[in-house]
Amino acid sequence: GQSWLAGFLAGLVTAMVFVPLLSWTDDDQGSVGELSRIGTEDPVTGEKFDKVDNVLLELIIALALREEPGAALQAVLPVLFGQARPASLGGGFATFPFAKLTRLSNQPSVLTNTRAGELLRMLGVREDKVQAVLGRSVKQVVELVSWNQGVQAAEWGDVTQVATECGTRVLKTVLQEMRRLRSDPKYFEQGRPMGSEVLEWLQKANLRSYAPLFVHHRLDSLDYVARLDKAKLSMLFDEYEELYPRSGQKGAMGGELAKLKKAHSKLLYRTPPRLLGLIGARPDERTQPISARLERYRDTEASGMAALTSGNCVELFHTNGVLRWVWVALWGGYAAFW
C-alpha cells in the first residue's frame, strides 16, 4: 500500500484547506489527549517521555506550510471532539475540553519537531522558518491550530450531522479563499494580460492601496478603468473607506476620492485640452482596446519606402496588396531588362 507519510505530504502540499480532527476524551485518549503524555517523567527512570507523534507532525507541517508564501494551503479548519456520549444520553459528543490544554508540555517534542524539520527542508521551506518550527512546544502547536475558527462537534449532534456541517464549512472556506486570492494584486498581475498596466497606473498615481478593490471588481485593463463613471468611482471609494478607515467617521477621506477622480481624468485626457476644453484632448493610449493598440503595428500597412528598407521587405511585399503589385512590376521590369 501507499506510505502514510507520502500520502499525507502529497495531500497537504496541494490542499487549500487543512481539516484536523482534534479530540480529547475523559480518559486522556484521542488525537490531542494522547499528546499530554509527551514530556511526562517516568516514575522509575526519571526520563521524559517522547516519540514521533504523527498527529503532532501533521499539525506542525500544516502550520509551517500555511505561513509559506505561495503555498496552496490557505486555511486551517479544526473539528473539535470531546467525549462521545452513549446513545442512552442522546448520543453526540461532549464539548472539547479546552481547559485541559494547560496540561500539554511547554517544551517541544524533540523527536517530532526534528522529523518535521527534515520534511520541511525536503519541501523547500527556508531554514529560518524551519528553525522557528523546531522551537515550538507541544502546547503552542495545538493552541495555534485550535485558535482557528472550526467546528465544535458538540453543537451538531451525531456523526452524520457533524460531517454535514464540516463539509459546508469547508466549502465556504474554499470559496472565501478563492475570492481572497483573486483579490491579490500578484494574481492580478500574473493572471491578467493587461493587469500589470493597471497596477503601474495605480502606483504612479499613488493609489496602490486600491489594487485589491480593482482586482475584486475585475478591472484588469485601463480600457475598463476609463469607462468608469462618477457613480462607480464613488462606489469604489466607499468600499475603500470601509477597508481603510482613518478616523472612524465616514467621509474623512475626501482627499482620497479627489485623488482617484483626478487620476481617472488624466486617463481620459492625457494630453491637456487647449481650446474650449475639447480640442487637442486625447485619452491615454493604454485605454484603447488591445485590438486597436495592435492595429497600429500592422506590418501590412507599411509605406513603400519603409518596406524597401525593412529587413523583412520580401514578406511585407507579399502581405500588402499594393506592394505586391509593385513587387511584380519591379520583378517583371528586371526580367525584361536582362
Side-chain angles (χ1 to χ4, degrees), residues 37-256:
R37 296 178 57 206
I38 295 178
T40 58
E41 289 189 2
D42 187 291
V44 178
T45 64
E47 294 181 354
K48 291 187 175 182
F49 175 77
D50 196 8
K51 67 171 183 175
V52 176
D53 186 275
N54 288 336
V55 172
L56 185 59
L57 187 65
E58 290 179 0
L59 301 181
I60 292 171
I61 294 177
L63 289 172
L65 289 181
R66 189 185 61 171
E67 298 167 0
E68 191 70 8
L73 188 61
Q74 300 294 320
V76 175
L77 183 71
V79 184
L80 304 160
F81 296 88
Q83 178 69 41
R85 296 193 186 99
S88 58
L89 297 178
F93 299 89
T95 303
F96 182 84
F98 282 100
K100 289 186 176 182
L101 294 182
T102 57
R103 293 169 48 189
L104 297 176
S105 175
N106 285 314
Q107 299 297 319
S109 167
V110 176
L111 295 179
T112 306
N113 289 24
T114 300
R115 182 60 175 146
E118 294 171 353
L119 295 173
L120 290 172
R121 291 187 186 97
M122 183 183 72
L123 294 173
V125 175
R126 295 201 324 262
E127 186 60 29
D128 60 328
K129 296 287 186 68
V130 173
Q131 291 302 319
V133 165
L134 295 179
R136 284 177 177 166
S137 69
V138 177
K139 183 180 177 182
Q140 283 177 319
V141 172
V142 176
E143 284 182 339
L144 285 171
V145 173
S146 61
W147 285 343
N148 291 274
Q149 187 174 7
V151 176
Q152 182 67 261
E155 299 176 2
W156 299 98
D158 61 23
V159 175
T160 302
Q161 291 175 306
V162 172
T164 301
E165 176 61 18
C166 287
T168 303
R169 291 280 190 93
V170 169
L171 181 59
K172 287 182 178 179
T173 303
V174 169
L175 293 175
Q176 288 173 356
E177 290 303 318
M178 289 180 67
R179 283 195 293 269
R180 187 186 65 79
L181 286 173
R182 289 196 188 102
S183 296
D184 186 345
K186 291 182 180 178
Y187 169 84
F188 188 52
E189 186 172 14
Q190 298 169 4
R192 302 289 180 180
M194 314 306 293
S196 59
E197 286 188 344
V198 176
L199 294 180
E200 180 184 349
W201 172 72
L202 290 172
Q203 181 72 34
K204 190 174 181 179
N206 197 24
L207 296 169
R208 179 75 184 199
S209 53
Y210 275 88
L213 288 175
F214 275 65
V215 177
H216 176 70
H217 290 287
R218 306 289 183 88
L219 298 172
D220 56 2
S221 78
L222 291 178
D223 176 26
Y224 293 156
V225 175
R227 299 181 197 177
L228 296 176
D229 55 25
K230 291 181 179 180
K232 290 180 180 177
L233 287 175
S234 295
M235 181 197 70
L236 276 175
F237 171 73
D238 288 341
E239 292 185 27
Y240 179 83
E241 196 174 20
E242 292 292 337
L243 282 175
Y244 307 105
R246 295 204 176 173
S247 65
Q249 297 179 355
K250 200 124 176 101
M253 298 174 63
E256 292 291 328

